[in-house]
Amino acid sequence: MAGLAESLKIIQYPHPTLRHVAKPIRRIDAEMLQVVRRMFDLMYEHKGIGLAATQVALPYRLFVLNLKGDPNEGEEHVFVNPVITKRKGLAEAEEGCLSLPGLYGDVKRSENITLQAFNLQGQAVKHVCEDLFARAVQHEIDHLDGVLFIDRLTPTGELKVKDTLDEFTVNFAGRRRLGEVPSDEVLAARLKELEQART
Protein backbone atom coordinates (compact mmCIF):
# COMPACT_ATOMS: atom_id res chain seq x y z
CA MET A 1 0.00 0.00 0.00
CA ALA A 2 2.93 2.26 -0.70
CA GLY A 3 1.97 5.82 -1.53
CA LEU A 4 -1.57 5.42 -0.25
CA ALA A 5 -1.88 9.01 0.96
CA GLU A 6 -0.51 10.47 -2.28
CA SER A 7 -3.04 8.54 -4.37
CA LEU A 8 -6.08 9.81 -2.49
CA LYS A 9 -8.68 11.98 -4.17
CA ILE A 10 -12.28 12.85 -3.41
CA ILE A 11 -14.71 10.51 -5.15
CA GLN A 12 -18.04 11.72 -6.45
CA TYR A 13 -21.56 10.35 -6.47
CA PRO A 14 -22.54 7.67 -7.46
CA HIS A 15 -19.16 6.01 -6.80
CA PRO A 16 -19.93 2.67 -5.05
CA THR A 17 -17.53 3.30 -2.15
CA LEU A 18 -19.79 6.11 -0.97
CA ARG A 19 -22.32 3.39 -0.09
CA HIS A 20 -19.78 1.20 1.71
CA VAL A 21 -20.20 0.83 5.48
CA ALA A 22 -16.80 1.62 6.97
CA LYS A 23 -15.06 -0.70 9.44
CA PRO A 24 -13.51 0.36 12.78
CA ILE A 25 -9.78 1.00 12.69
CA ARG A 26 -7.62 -1.11 15.00
CA ARG A 27 -4.24 0.42 14.21
CA ILE A 28 -2.90 3.93 13.59
CA ASP A 29 0.60 4.09 12.12
CA ALA A 30 2.76 6.56 10.19
CA GLU A 31 0.95 5.81 6.96
CA MET A 32 -2.43 6.58 8.50
CA LEU A 33 -1.06 9.87 9.81
CA GLN A 34 -0.09 10.72 6.23
CA VAL A 35 -3.58 9.73 5.07
CA VAL A 36 -5.15 12.07 7.62
CA ARG A 37 -2.91 14.95 6.55
CA ARG A 38 -3.82 14.33 2.91
CA MET A 39 -7.51 14.29 3.83
CA PHE A 40 -7.18 17.70 5.46
CA ASP A 41 -5.34 19.02 2.39
CA LEU A 42 -8.07 17.74 0.06
CA MET A 43 -10.78 19.16 2.30
CA TYR A 44 -9.21 22.61 2.26
CA GLU A 45 -8.48 22.45 -1.46
CA HIS A 46 -12.16 21.77 -2.18
CA LYS A 47 -13.44 24.37 0.32
CA GLY A 48 -15.01 21.89 2.72
CA ILE A 49 -15.27 21.70 6.50
CA GLY A 50 -15.35 17.91 6.87
CA LEU A 51 -14.25 14.81 5.00
CA ALA A 52 -14.88 11.14 5.72
CA ALA A 53 -12.54 8.31 4.79
CA THR A 54 -15.17 6.77 2.50
CA GLN A 55 -15.09 9.98 0.46
CA VAL A 56 -11.49 9.21 -0.49
CA ALA A 57 -12.36 5.56 -1.18
CA LEU A 58 -11.03 4.20 2.13
CA PRO A 59 -13.17 1.80 4.19
CA TYR A 60 -12.23 3.15 7.63
CA ARG A 61 -14.35 4.73 10.37
CA LEU A 62 -12.50 8.01 10.45
CA PHE A 63 -13.24 11.59 9.48
CA VAL A 64 -11.55 14.98 9.69
CA LEU A 65 -13.18 18.29 10.53
CA ASN A 66 -12.36 21.98 10.71
CA LEU A 67 -15.45 24.16 10.95
CA LYS A 68 -13.55 27.16 9.56
CA GLY A 69 -12.49 25.26 6.45
CA ASP A 70 -9.16 27.08 6.52
CA PRO A 71 -5.76 25.61 7.48
CA ASN A 72 -4.84 28.90 9.14
CA GLU A 73 -8.03 29.19 11.18
CA GLY A 74 -10.21 27.09 13.41
CA GLU A 75 -9.33 23.78 15.01
CA GLU A 76 -8.49 20.55 13.24
CA HIS A 77 -10.32 17.50 14.58
CA VAL A 78 -9.70 13.86 13.73
CA PHE A 79 -12.30 11.37 14.93
CA VAL A 80 -11.50 7.65 14.82
CA ASN A 81 -14.30 5.09 15.32
CA PRO A 82 -16.84 7.82 16.22
CA VAL A 83 -20.14 7.02 17.93
CA ILE A 84 -23.04 9.34 18.76
CA THR A 85 -24.25 8.46 22.25
CA LYS A 86 -26.89 11.14 22.81
CA ARG A 87 -29.15 13.26 20.63
CA LYS A 88 -31.35 16.23 21.51
CA GLY A 89 -33.61 18.55 19.56
CA LEU A 90 -34.17 18.87 15.84
CA ALA A 91 -33.09 21.54 13.38
CA GLU A 92 -33.24 21.97 9.61
CA ALA A 93 -30.49 23.63 7.59
CA GLU A 94 -28.94 23.56 4.14
CA GLU A 95 -26.15 21.07 3.51
CA GLY A 96 -23.74 20.35 0.70
CA CYS A 97 -21.12 17.67 0.17
CA LEU A 98 -17.69 17.47 -1.44
CA SER A 99 -18.78 14.24 -3.15
CA LEU A 100 -21.76 16.08 -4.67
CA PRO A 101 -20.17 19.42 -5.62
CA GLY A 102 -22.59 22.23 -6.34
CA LEU A 103 -25.63 20.39 -4.96
CA TYR A 104 -27.42 21.60 -1.82
CA GLY A 105 -30.52 20.68 0.12
CA ASP A 106 -32.25 21.20 3.46
CA VAL A 107 -31.72 18.39 5.97
CA LYS A 108 -33.22 17.82 9.42
CA ARG A 109 -30.74 16.64 12.05
CA SER A 110 -30.38 16.51 15.81
CA GLU A 111 -29.55 19.96 17.15
CA ASN A 112 -27.27 18.73 19.93
CA ILE A 113 -25.31 15.48 20.15
CA THR A 114 -22.73 13.81 22.35
CA LEU A 115 -19.87 12.28 20.38
CA GLN A 116 -17.42 9.67 21.60
CA ALA A 117 -14.39 8.67 19.53
CA PHE A 118 -10.63 8.17 19.63
CA ASN A 119 -7.93 10.58 18.53
CA LEU A 120 -4.79 9.70 16.57
CA GLN A 121 -2.95 8.94 19.82
CA GLY A 122 -5.51 6.26 20.68
CA GLN A 123 -7.01 8.33 23.48
CA ALA A 124 -10.77 8.36 24.05
CA VAL A 125 -12.35 11.77 23.44
CA LYS A 126 -15.83 13.09 24.13
CA HIS A 127 -17.48 16.17 22.67
CA VAL A 128 -20.84 17.74 23.33
CA CYS A 129 -21.64 19.30 19.96
CA GLU A 130 -24.25 21.82 18.91
CA ASP A 131 -25.23 23.85 15.86
CA LEU A 132 -22.81 23.50 12.92
CA PHE A 133 -20.45 21.23 14.87
CA ALA A 134 -23.30 18.78 15.56
CA ARG A 135 -24.55 18.93 11.97
CA ALA A 136 -21.11 18.36 10.46
CA VAL A 137 -20.40 15.41 12.75
CA GLN A 138 -23.72 13.78 11.85
CA HIS A 139 -23.09 14.37 8.14
CA GLU A 140 -19.66 12.71 8.30
CA ILE A 141 -20.80 9.76 10.43
CA ASP A 142 -23.57 9.22 7.88
CA HIS A 143 -20.82 8.88 5.26
CA LEU A 144 -19.18 6.15 7.34
CA ASP A 145 -22.51 4.30 7.30
CA GLY A 146 -22.91 4.63 3.53
CA VAL A 147 -25.57 7.34 3.89
CA LEU A 148 -25.54 10.61 1.90
CA PHE A 149 -27.34 13.83 2.78
CA ILE A 150 -29.53 13.40 -0.31
CA ASP A 151 -31.00 10.31 1.40
CA ARG A 152 -32.40 12.61 4.09
CA LEU A 153 -34.14 15.10 1.82
CA THR A 154 -37.90 15.54 1.81
CA PRO A 155 -39.78 14.32 -1.30
CA THR A 156 -39.88 17.94 -2.48
CA GLY A 157 -36.14 18.27 -1.88
CA GLU A 158 -35.51 15.08 -3.84
CA LEU A 159 -37.40 16.47 -6.82
CA LYS A 160 -35.30 19.64 -6.76
CA VAL A 161 -32.01 17.73 -7.03
CA LYS A 162 -33.13 14.91 -9.36
CA ASP A 163 -31.79 16.46 -12.57
CA THR A 164 -28.43 17.24 -10.97
CA LEU A 165 -28.14 13.69 -9.62
CA ASP A 166 -28.92 12.36 -13.09
CA GLU A 167 -26.04 14.47 -14.45
CA PHE A 168 -23.67 12.99 -11.83
CA THR A 169 -24.80 9.49 -12.83
CA VAL A 170 -24.27 10.10 -16.55
CA ASN A 171 -20.85 11.64 -15.91
CA PHE A 172 -19.83 8.70 -13.72
CA ALA A 173 -20.93 6.19 -16.36
CA GLY A 174 -18.85 8.05 -18.94
CA ARG A 175 -15.76 8.01 -16.74
CA ARG A 176 -16.23 4.30 -16.16
CA ARG A 177 -16.46 3.63 -19.89
CA LEU A 178 -13.17 5.47 -20.31
CA GLY A 179 -11.58 3.22 -17.68
CA GLU A 180 -11.13 6.06 -15.18
CA VAL A 181 -13.20 4.23 -12.54
CA PRO A 182 -12.64 0.50 -11.86
CA SER A 183 -15.44 -2.04 -11.96
CA ASP A 184 -17.51 -2.75 -8.84
CA GLU A 185 -15.66 -6.07 -8.47
CA VAL A 186 -12.24 -4.43 -8.52
CA LEU A 187 -13.38 -1.76 -6.08
CA ALA A 188 -14.81 -4.36 -3.70
CA ALA A 189 -11.56 -6.35 -3.77
CA ARG A 190 -9.54 -3.20 -3.02
CA LEU A 191 -11.78 -2.28 -0.08
CA LYS A 192 -11.46 -5.77 1.32
CA GLU A 193 -7.66 -5.63 1.06
CA LEU A 194 -7.58 -2.23 2.78
CA GLU A 195 -9.89 -3.45 5.54
CA GLN A 196 -7.75 -6.51 6.22
CA ALA A 197 -4.71 -4.25 6.62
CA ARG A 198 -6.19 -2.20 9.49
CA THR A 199 -9.43 -3.61 10.87
Side-chain angles (χ1 to χ4, degrees):
M1 300 204 309
L4 179 62
E6 292 82 359
S7 68
L8 297 182
K9 58 183 178 181
I10 296 175
I11 56 174
Q12 292 188 3
Y13 177 89
H15 194 291
T17 303
L18 291 172
R19 295 302 187 180
H20 186 80
V21 179
K23 299 290 192 297
I25 299 176
R26 303 297 178 203
R27 181 168 58 89
I28 299 288
D29 57 14
E31 184 176 60
M32 279 307 296
L33 296 179
Q34 292 176 352
V35 163
V36 166
R37 189 66 255 159
R38 175 64 176 152
M39 286 176 64
F40 273 118
D41 291 344
L42 285 168
M43 184 187 81
Y44 294 134
E45 181 184 331
H46 292 269
K47 312 298 183 190
I49 63 170
L51 188 67
T54 49
Q55 290 181 272
V56 291
L58 295 178
Y60 307 133
R61 294 196 77 79
L62 175 152
F63 69 90
V64 302
L65 196 69
N66 180 349
L67 296 180
K68 293 293 186 181
D70 186 327
N72 300 311
E73 292 185 45
E75 184 178 355
E76 292 188 343
H77 298 278
V78 182
F79 297 113
V80 179
N81 302 339
V83 176
I84 295 173
T85 58
K86 290 183 183 177
R87 296 177 181 270
K88 185 179 178 183
L90 197 65
E92 185 175 61
E94 185 178 74
E95 292 186 21
C97 180
L98 296 183
S99 292
L100 289 149
L103 190 149
Y104 301 92
D106 291 333
V107 180
K108 289 182 180 178
R109 295 197 187 272
S110 299
E111 199 166 14
N112 300 285
I113 62 168
T114 299
L115 172 71
Q116 292 185 339
F118 292 92
N119 61 23
L120 292 176
Q121 290 73 46
Q123 300 164 328
V125 294
K126 179 179 177 180
H127 288 270
V128 177
C129 315
E130 57 184 16
D131 302 326
L132 181 60
F133 194 4
R135 180 167 295 275
V137 165
Q138 291 171 86
H139 180 110
E140 300 307 331
I141 289 180
D142 265 1
H143 271 301
L144 302 182
D145 292 328
V147 176
L148 303 178
F149 85 90
I150 53 174
D151 302 330
R152 299 191 179 279
L153 298 177
T154 64
T156 303
E158 289 177 359
L159 280 175
K160 287 181 180 178
V161 301
K162 183 181 181 303
D163 288 347
T164 305
L165 291 180
D166 288 345
E167 289 176 20
F168 276 113
T169 301
V170 169
N171 181 51
F172 182 79
R175 291 180 58 225
R176 195 161 239 182
R177 280 195 300 272
L178 292 171
E180 295 176 11
V181 181
S183 68
D184 285 1
E185 292 75 19
V186 170
L187 288 173
R190 178 179 180 271
L191 290 173
K192 188 173 183 180
E193 178 186 349
L194 289 167
E195 284 173 354
Q196 290 173 344
R198 301 192 180 280
T199 62

